[in-house]
Amino acid sequence: MDLHKEVYIPKPSPFDPDENGHFGKFGGRFVPETLMPALEQLRKDYEAVRFDKDFWAEVDYYYKNYVGRPSALYYAENLSKELDAKIYLKREDLNHTGAHKINHCVAQAVLAKRLGKKKIIAETGAGQHGVATATVAALFGLECEVFMGAKDVARQELNVFRMKLLGAKVHAVESGSKTLKDAMNDAIRHWVTNARDTYYLIGTVAGPHPYPMMVRDIQSIIGWEAKEQLKAAEGCLPDKIIACIGGGSNALGIFSHFLEDESVECIGIEAGGEGLECKHGCSLEKGSPGVLHGQLSYLLQDEDGQVQEAHSISAGLDYPGIGPEHAFLKDKGIVTYSHITDVEALDAFVWLSQSEGIIPALESSHAIAYLKKMKPEEIKGKIILVNLSGRGDKDMIQVKDILKEQFQD
């Protein structure tokens, strides 16, 4: 198969939600009544193009000529020798804007344009989704506003400047923990009063139906490409696939075409932060079912149901919830979930940089770090695919401050 010539059209998944957007008991729509008509219309609009060749051909044009798809599958020879395994990296970091986020931004912007919307809003944590949203807004001549927690604005100042340079208005959200959760709260409130002319471009597989399904569908191009590329390189499927998880879009993107392959273990990595007994972002490992941002899923919450503050060195994983399909896959035992701490992620950030000359995003560093966390007998001789969901340009200032003593002359 020639991926450069093929147009990718998502197919129905055996893990699709029901007509009300539920993955088992998870998902659904828990939103103000004023938003229900907009969500129902979006569901109808998306289902009309979900398997439409003309729609995906238009998306594909921008993927190939603007984003740079298909993204490369790279054999990490030095890591492979060190670990006595075959390590492949799916290079989403090479996409235009530096992460997988541009995939769902392009497709949703094409949809918004078809629907006649004039404005796009988005929430962002690490800023990669915000940059990608601002990018497609500039491309398609749409007004753009991005909501970002004030804490994330401070630690991702380069991405904030990029968004402004692209013409977006950035709102620094001062409420709550001043991170992604609060940015999403403000974005939803804004949408409630502006749904008529505004498209809310959600940046992950979370939120009310149809967003979790829609973003999963769009990002599934990662897994489709990787499967074909690995078959060409090795003639077989990988033994394990590893991806970091905040809301969960890059993970579901690469897992999607392998979930029915029993020989493949899909492994999602949450933010272990300072440790599971301290501050972290492990909603699957330490959370319980609850409602946040229009969905029922696993949340970090106290006994009274109050959402607790998440923590991660990576702004993109600093979220107290998880996409509902991940919650479903966890409960069904279809995907394995684990965690990596801030310290382990930093170590992997340096490790990949100095082993392969590839500087990963701090989010992706969590997935890379898990290669070291596995026991030697788990990894020896295995073919392992890691989704390198973003590059580390955005994290340079933050990491420089943390590691300045390590790299002093």
Side-chain angles (χ1 to χ4, degrees):
M1 180 183 295
D2 188 344
L3 297 179
H4 293 275
K5 294 181 179 180
E6 191 79 10
V7 173
Y8 176 64
I9 302 173
K11 296 180 179 178
S13 166
F15 306 104
D16 274 351
D18 65 21
E19 60 182 11
N20 295 313
H22 290 97
F23 301 87
K25 68 179 181 181
F26 300 104
R29 291 180 187 150
F30 297 86
V31 296
E33 282 298 318
T34 50
L35 266 187
M36 289 299 287
L39 285 168
E40 181 59 17
Q41 187 60 51
L42 178 60
R43 180 192 67 79
K44 293 177 181 177
D45 291 334
Y46 176 63
E47 289 189 352
V49 301
R50 189 182 181 195
F51 310 119
D52 180 72
K53 292 181 180 179
D54 291 338
F55 174 78
W56 291 105
E58 184 176 358
V59 172
D60 183 73
Y61 169 82
Y62 292 104
Y63 279 172
K64 289 182 169 65
N65 297 289
Y66 189 72
V67 174
R69 303 210 71 87
S71 63
L73 183 72
Y74 172 68
Y75 176 62
E77 184 175 358
N78 297 324
L79 292 189
S80 298
K81 287 179 179 177
E82 182 177 343
L83 298 172
D84 195 16
K86 289 187 174 182
I87 311 299
Y88 284 89
L89 307 180
K90 182 59 172 164
R91 298 293 307 276
E92 292 298 293
D93 61 310
L94 295 179
N95 293 338
H96 179 44
T97 72
H100 71 292
K101 297 292 187 180
I102 193 68
N103 300 329
H104 60 240
C105 286
V106 164
Q108 288 190 72
V110 170
L111 178 59
K113 186 181 70 169
R114 286 190 170 211
L115 299 179
K117 303 296 184 181
K118 303 299 182 184
K119 301 176 182 178
I120 286 182
I121 61 169
E123 85 295 330
T124 194
Q128 288 303 104
H129 173 61
V131 169
T133 301
T135 298
V136 298
L139 175 65
F140 293 117
L142 301 167
E143 292 182 40
C144 181
E145 296 187 44
V146 178
F147 295 83
M148 190 174 188
K151 180 179 176 182
D152 294 335
V153 168
R155 61 180 171 178
Q156 294 292 333
E157 60 180 275
L158 288 179
N159 271 345
V160 173
F161 179 72
R162 291 167 77 191
M163 285 181 261
K164 291 179 178 179
L165 179 63
L166 289 160
K169 181 178 180 180
V170 180
H171 299 274
V173 178
E174 297 285 350
S175 59
S177 60
K178 303 180 183 181
T179 58
L180 179 58
K181 168 181 69 71
D182 313 289
M184 198 165 186
N185 286 338
D186 272 27
I188 290 173
R189 278 193 286 267
H190 181 89
W191 193 36
V192 167
T193 56
N194 295 276
R196 180 171 295 177
D197 66 349
T198 299
Y199 184 93
Y200 182 13
L201 206 160
I202 284 184
T204 190
V205 287
H209 183 63
Y211 283 106
M213 178 184 72
M214 179 168 62
V215 176
R216 183 275 313 272
D217 284 352
I218 297 166
Q219 290 293 352
S220 67
I221 191 172
I222 303 173
W224 176 73
E225 286 179 4
K227 195 168 196 175
E228 295 302 321
Q229 290 168 322
L230 203 52
K231 283 180 181 178
E234 293 286 344
C236 62
L237 298 176
D239 296 294
K240 300 176 188 292
I241 305 175
I242 307 171
C244 66
I245 294 181
S249 60
N250 94 86
L252 279 185
I254 199 164
F255 294 166
S256 58
H257 283 271
F258 296 92
L259 291 174
E260 293 183 277
D261 296 312
E262 294 183 2
S263 65
V264 180
E265 181 184 17
C266 293
I267 306 169
I269 307 300
E270 294 189 289
E274 297 172 1
L276 295 188
E277 303 309 315
C278 302
K279 296 179 180 179
H280 58 81
C282 296
S283 54
L284 286 171
E285 198 161 349
K286 299 292 285 185
S288 57
V291 174
L292 179 67
H293 297 145
Q295 63 174 20
L296 173 66
S297 190
Y298 279 96
L299 305 178
L300 296 177
Q301 55 187 335
D302 62 21
E303 294 178 355
D304 297 321
Q306 295 298 309
V307 178
Q308 295 179 313
E309 184 176 344
H311 165 78
S312 174
I313 192 172
S314 57
L317 306 187
D318 196 350
Y319 184 61
I322 195 77
E325 188 170 354
H326 280 295
F328 171 78
L329 294 171
K330 173 189 180 294
D331 276 11
K332 292 295 183 181
I334 296 169
V335 172
T336 301
Y337 293 94
S338 188
H339 69 275
I340 285 293
T341 65
D342 288 349
V343 172
E344 291 168 328
L346 270 174
D347 177 66
F349 184 93
V350 176
W351 181 43
L352 185 63
S353 298
Q354 298 187 349
S355 295
E356 298 287 349
I358 298 171
I359 303 174
L362 283 172
E363 290 78 13
S364 310
S365 297
H366 286 70
I368 295 294
Y370 194 73
L371 291 169
K372 283 190 172 183
K373 193 169 184 176
M374 287 187 288
K375 297 177 181 178
E377 58 269 24
E378 289 183 274
I379 198 170
K380 185 176 181 180
K382 302 294 186 182
I383 298 173
I384 301 175
L385 173 61
V386 181
N387 197 18
L388 199 65
S389 56
R391 59 177 177 252
D393 306 29
K394 67 182 179 61
D395 298 314
M396 285 296 101
I397 294 175
Q398 182 186 359
V399 173
K400 176 177 176 287
D401 289 340
I402 296 171
L403 299 179
K404 59 186 176 182
E405 292 185 6
Q406 181 176 338
F407 291 97
Q408 281 182 341
D409 292 335

